[in-house]
Amino acid sequence: MAISREEVQHVAHLARLEFSEAELERFTQELSKILDYMEKLSELDTSGVEPTYHALNLANRFREDEVRPSFPPEEILSNAPQKEGTSFVVPRVIK
Amino acid sequence: MEFEAVIGLEVHTQLLTESKIFCGCSTKFGAPPNHHTCPVCTGMPGSLPVLNRRVVEFALRLALAVGARINPVCVFARKHYFYPDLPKNYQISQYEAPIAEGGAIEIEVDGQRKSIGLVRIHMEEDAGKLVHDEKRPVSYVDFNRTGVPLLEIVSEPDIRSPEEAVAYLKKLRTIVRYLGICDGNMEEGSLRCDANVSVRPKGSQEFGTKVELKNMNSFRHVERALKYEIKRQIGLLLEGKEVVQETRLFDEAKGVTHSMRGKEEAHDYRYFPDPDLVPVKIDPEWIEKVRSELPELPDAKKQRFIEEYGLPTYDAEILTVSRPLAEFFEECVKLFPQPKKVSNWLMTEVLRELNREGKEIDETNLKPEHIAELLKLVEDGVVSITAAKKIFPEVYATGRNPKELVEEKGLRQESDEGALEAICREVLSENPAEVEKYKSGKKGVIGFFVGQVMKKTRGKANPKLVNQILTRLLEA
């Protein structure tokens, strides 16, 4: 197995996902197969090859430092489950 | 056993751009919640970030100023964690290929010079602001600050004391202010500092277990928090206990640090290159262009002030901490070419007012012409130094012409030699007994005569001149 059940659980927790026992079992199997398959790439000798950071062969796409109008706050807030004034409201996160 | 502290600092500086790092929303402080937001900075699906060119330029300025190596290609990475101030659930930052690595900041503590190495400088976006309700169990989220550009500057663990940490921070602040890339205001959060602290037996090469300190929003808090934390860690070791690797928050009211539990496992950020942003390539021409536009930096300016104006190191240091103050000084000297006199006046009278108001000199009504004129009035004997000091706060506050104020307040000194001599003669003839005392060798009595002349002129006589005239008359 390229990945343990505990690792799958850990990654799921980092992504705030919850899985049943059966799902955990299945994903451990499936992810292991995927990782084994990707491991094939390690057979290639890539020494001396520049790392690829991006799929597009582009660099230096900039915007100038100019202020553009922001969105109306009510539009930004339109999907918020809870809001007050122009603030998003969330369960208290400290203390 | 003697212990030493090992400290590394992570500083975040908010950049003085007009717009955010990846969108055109304003960075201006103080707008109502979520008024400076758009789909990009709030992380709406389908929106695309585009890098603000000035952020790269500002980063290059700092990299050059501290002698860092600029990477020819740098990329942005996503740093993942969940917190309500982070709408995308990842922060766009740099990881593997930051814009610059290495470099150093020179500090001086108790006359000892030291070079604090830098690990890296990278560009990233700021997170939003949370306000916690006093009564109800809710927090309010404001994304105006989300996407404001930051430079993170990470030092090597070269710092050995809270004093060195503060000297490093002050120097870094001076540099970013000179470069015009950050206003360096710690209280308002435009310059923020986290510290990694550990202790070890003095002379040891190994590192102890480190603790990350947060929530220190002034130089004084940094110093207090570090002092407390170092003492706490040494105490644990002396009791045979272990230091736990954790994040601790400084409690400014109690002057202690508290463990901030629960964030430990979150340190698995799963960085990967951000596919929404293409790499940044920095060619030598770009670097040279930025280099050619760099201002004179604090250390160079200080050295020049010592050599060019013959100022003591102390004066040069104080005058060059702020670029506007240094430039003000030079303007004054152009108009009144006695550097030490200008320096004395700036370091006492002017800095007193500036510190009282917490202002930079270019935010006041004071102009170099005012200082030059005031010093000239003293030099020419038109006013006494005491009178000049007396009217200065009004010049500072109102920007009014010093000469006018002198006339208006009747502070002009009597420096007319003929008029003063007449008064001196009068005083001498009125006090024959004291004149006899003088002639019999009690020269100290001259002070009495000067006093009498001042009395007759209601304090307006030029005391130096009076002294000269009296001596001449008495010795004749």
Side-chain angles (χ1 to χ4, degrees):
Chain A
M1 285 289 181
I3 190 167
S4 71
R5 197 186 157 93
E6 287 68 41
E7 283 172 303
V8 174
Q9 219 157 8
H10 176 63
V11 174
H13 175 70
L14 287 174
R16 300 295 184 271
L17 294 173
E18 277 179 52
F19 295 134
S20 67
E21 286 301 309
E23 281 173 319
L24 269 180
E25 194 53 46
R26 201 179 101 214
F27 289 137
T28 306
Q29 304 273 350
E30 286 181 3
L31 282 170
S32 286
K33 271 188 206 153
I34 294 167
L35 289 169
D36 284 341
Y37 181 65
M38 297 306 283
E39 193 52 33
K40 269 219 159 309
L41 289 171
S42 306
E43 290 168 19
L44 278 174
D45 179 9
T46 55
S47 53
V49 178
E50 284 284 306
T52 304
Y53 288 116
H54 205 276
L56 296 175
N57 192 21
L58 279 177
N60 294 6
R61 294 293 136 151
F62 298 117
R63 32 173 291 275
E64 298 306 317
D65 183 25
E66 283 157 11
V67 175
R68 303 273 304 269
S70 291
F71 268 46
E74 48 280 12
E75 229 170 294
I76 290 296
L77 286 147
S78 59
N79 291 326
Q82 216 187 329
K83 55 194 160 189
E84 256 182 62
T86 57
S87 288
F88 293 87
V89 175
V90 297
R92 195 184 182 96
V93 285
I94 215 164
K95 280 168 210 163
Chain B
M1 196 191 301
E2 223 188 314
F3 289 91
E4 70 173 1
V6 176
I7 303 166
L9 296 181
E10 282 175 21
V11 174
H12 288 90
T13 57
Q14 237 176 33
L15 299 183
L16 290 169
T17 54
E18 300 291 325
S19 64
K20 292 186 178 181
I21 182 169
F22 299 121
C23 64
C25 288
S26 168
T27 56
K28 210 171 254 157
F29 187 77
N34 296 302
H35 279 58
H36 293 164
T37 55
C38 73
V40 173
C41 56
T42 53
M44 302 287 179
S47 61
L48 198 64
V50 184
L51 180 58
N52 181 338
R53 184 196 301 271
R54 186 164 286 159
V55 173
V56 182
E57 276 168 16
F58 281 5
L60 291 176
R61 280 192 207 172
L62 181 62
L64 289 170
V66 298
R69 294 184 308 279
I70 293 161
N71 283 324
V73 180
C74 72
V75 294
F76 284 93
R78 293 182 177 184
K79 176 181 178 178
H80 300 83
Y81 63 96
F82 289 96
Y83 210 62
D85 64 4
L86 190 72
K88 298 190 295 295
N89 296 332
Y90 61 84
Q91 177 193 26
I92 305 178
S93 180
Q94 295 195 289
Y95 187 59
E96 267 177 85
I99 189 160
E101 295 174 81
I105 287 179
E106 310 298 321
I107 61 164
E108 205 176 308
V109 173
D110 298 331
Q112 291 281 99
R113 276 160 182 270
K114 186 171 172 180
S115 181
I116 307 297
L118 299 182
V119 178
R120 55 191 269 143
I121 297 170
H122 72 244
M123 303 177 275
E124 62 183 25
E125 56 178 351
D126 207 345
K129 198 177 94 181
L130 294 172
V131 177
H132 310 294
D133 196 287
E134 298 283 326
K135 299 185 187 84
R136 294 189 297 139
V138 297
S139 300
Y140 304 96
V141 190
D142 173 9
F143 292 132
N144 283 344
R145 202 179 64 184
T146 305
V148 169
L150 301 176
L151 286 183
E152 178 171 331
I153 302 117
V154 183
S155 87
E156 295 280 1
D158 288 348
I159 298 166
R160 291 288 169 272
S161 69
E163 292 76 19
E164 285 183 11
V166 171
Y168 168 89
L169 277 178
K170 285 192 172 166
K171 190 58 171 290
L172 181 54
R173 180 176 71 160
T174 304
I175 293 171
V176 294
R177 284 182 167 175
Y178 263 65
L179 296 172
I181 63 175
C182 170
D183 68 20
N185 191 324
M186 282 194 86
E187 283 78 6
E188 284 175 14
S190 47
L191 189 147
R192 308 195 278 268
C193 167
D194 299 336
N196 286 309
V197 197
S198 62
V199 297
R200 65 182 177 192
K202 206 166 183 165
S204 163
Q205 292 305 305
E206 317 256 301
F207 290 118
T209 307
K210 71 177 180 190
V211 163
E212 190 182 359
L213 282 188
K214 286 180 179 285
N215 200 32
M216 305 171 289
N217 57 0
S218 73
F219 292 124
R220 211 168 67 86
H221 290 169
V222 169
E223 192 166 347
R224 284 171 67 207
L226 286 171
K227 275 194 174 139
Y228 174 86
E229 183 57 24
I230 292 165
K231 218 170 125 188
R232 187 187 73 87
Q233 292 188 16
I234 292 174
L236 284 174
L237 296 183
L238 287 175
E239 286 173 35
K241 291 179 184 160
E242 277 185 11
V243 174
V244 180
Q245 179 160 356
E246 61 182 350
T247 300
R248 296 179 72 88
L249 292 180
F250 179 60
D251 178 339
E252 58 179 78
K254 299 199 180 86
V256 301
T257 63
H258 292 300
S259 177
M260 180 177 136
R261 280 173 232 283
K263 250 205 148 181
E264 264 45 69
E265 60 180 347
H267 277 293
D268 190 344
Y269 293 130
R270 293 151 294 147
Y271 285 98
F272 65 74
D274 191 323
D276 283 346
L277 288 153
V278 297
V280 179
K281 284 189 178 164
I282 296 156
D283 56 26
E285 290 81 68
W286 195 358
I287 295 175
E288 281 324 303
K289 182 166 182 295
V290 174
R291 194 196 303 278
S292 70
E293 289 162 5
L294 281 187
E296 182 181 36
L297 290 165
D299 283 347
K301 203 183 276 289
K302 179 177 148 190
Q303 200 49 43
R304 183 168 63 78
F305 275 25
I306 294 169
E307 284 159 18
E308 190 175 327
Y309 299 115
L311 290 181
T313 309
Y314 178 77
D315 294 40
E317 170 85 36
I318 290 185
L319 293 175
T320 56
V321 162
S322 142
R323 185 173 162 194
L325 183 66
E327 286 168 358
F328 190 95
F329 166 80
E330 294 202 272
E331 287 304 310
C332 289
V333 173
K334 271 185 209 155
L335 301 167
F336 185 81
Q338 297 190 49
K340 182 58 183 152
K341 281 192 178 160
V342 172
S343 166
N344 287 347
W345 194 274
L346 293 186
M347 292 201 305
T348 53
E349 307 309 313
V350 176
L351 278 183
R352 181 183 306 127
E353 299 294 327
L354 292 178
N355 291 339
R356 195 169 51 76
E357 292 201 307
K359 278 188 178 169
E360 281 283 351
I361 200 153
D362 56 354
E363 297 166 332
T364 70
N365 292 318
L366 197 64
K367 299 278 170 284
E369 290 74 19
H370 295 136
I371 302 297
E373 192 174 300
L374 214 43
L375 289 172
K376 182 127 191 355
L377 289 172
V378 176
E379 181 82 1
D380 294 347
V382 177
V383 291
S384 65
I385 187 106
T386 320
K389 285 181 179 174
K390 205 165 128 192
I391 63 162
F392 176 70
E394 195 168 340
V395 175
Y396 171 86
T398 61
R400 284 190 58 192
N401 177 301
K403 219 175 211 162
E404 260 176 47
L405 276 171
V406 166
E407 300 302 340
E408 191 178 297
K409 297 192 180 296
L411 289 170
R412 177 182 275 277
Q413 283 190 136
E414 184 53 81
S415 291
D416 181 282
E417 208 166 336
L420 284 179
E421 184 172 332
I423 300 167
C424 288
R425 283 183 188 281
E426 215 176 287
V427 166
L428 293 181
S429 68
E430 282 166 13
N431 299 283
E434 272 69 22
V435 173
E436 276 315 306
K437 274 189 198 162
Y438 184 93
K439 297 214 157 148
S440 67
K442 285 194 175 168
K443 309 256 163 162
V445 81
I446 194 155
F448 167 77
F449 296 128
V450 174
Q452 292 301 307
V453 175
M454 294 312 274
K455 209 167 154 188
K456 278 185 187 286
T457 59
R458 275 170 291 136
K460 285 187 194 167
N462 177 341
K464 212 165 114 193
L465 199 54
V466 171
N467 216 303
Q468 278 169 15
I469 296 168
L470 285 168
T471 308
R472 176 161 53 76
L473 293 175
L474 287 161
E475 300 287 339

